[in-house]
Amino acid sequence: MKTLQRIESFAPVASNPVWMTTAIGGTVGVLTALMAGRRRSGYGTALGGLVGGAVGFGGGVAWASRGFTGAIGRSAIQKFNAVRDARWLERNPINYA
């Protein structure tokens, strides 16, 4: 059974692309709130920017940590398959003799 080769330090939040996607998401949220057909208050516009920034931040963190989470996912799937195969062999023994 193969284990995780190496887990690098998990620090995607400090990287610039995460903050860039947060700023882009906030900008898109503000522009979307402003371009809505009805009149918006300042609170509605700020809320749109906050929601857009949160979505951008979440997407940036997910993208920056894709290698880390991919390694964890592969390891979990390998362990799951090993247990499934062992249980199948317990229920269905193979007698070669």
Side-chain angles (χ1 to χ4, degrees):
M1 186 175 355
K2 198 174 187 183
T3 60
L4 288 175
Q5 305 274 333
R6 181 177 166 204
I7 297 178
E8 310 235 352
S9 65
F10 181 67
V13 177
S15 65
N16 284 335
V18 171
W19 296 115
M20 188 182 323
T21 58
T22 303
I24 291 171
T27 304
V28 169
V30 166
L31 290 176
T32 303
L34 287 175
M35 295 177 77
R38 58 181 187 247
R39 184 179 169 119
R40 284 278 181 173
S41 67
Y43 294 115
T45 305
L47 183 62
L50 184 66
V51 169
V55 169
F57 181 76
V61 169
W63 184 258
S65 65
R66 67 189 183 276
F68 179 75
T69 55
I72 290 174
R74 280 188 297 278
S75 175
I77 288 172
Q78 288 173 354
K79 291 177 182 178
F80 178 81
N81 288 338
V83 170
R84 185 189 62 204
D85 292 343
R87 288 185 179 170
W88 186 88
L89 281 173
E90 285 177 2
R91 288 187 210 123
N92 305 299
I94 301 173
N95 294 328
Y96 291 107

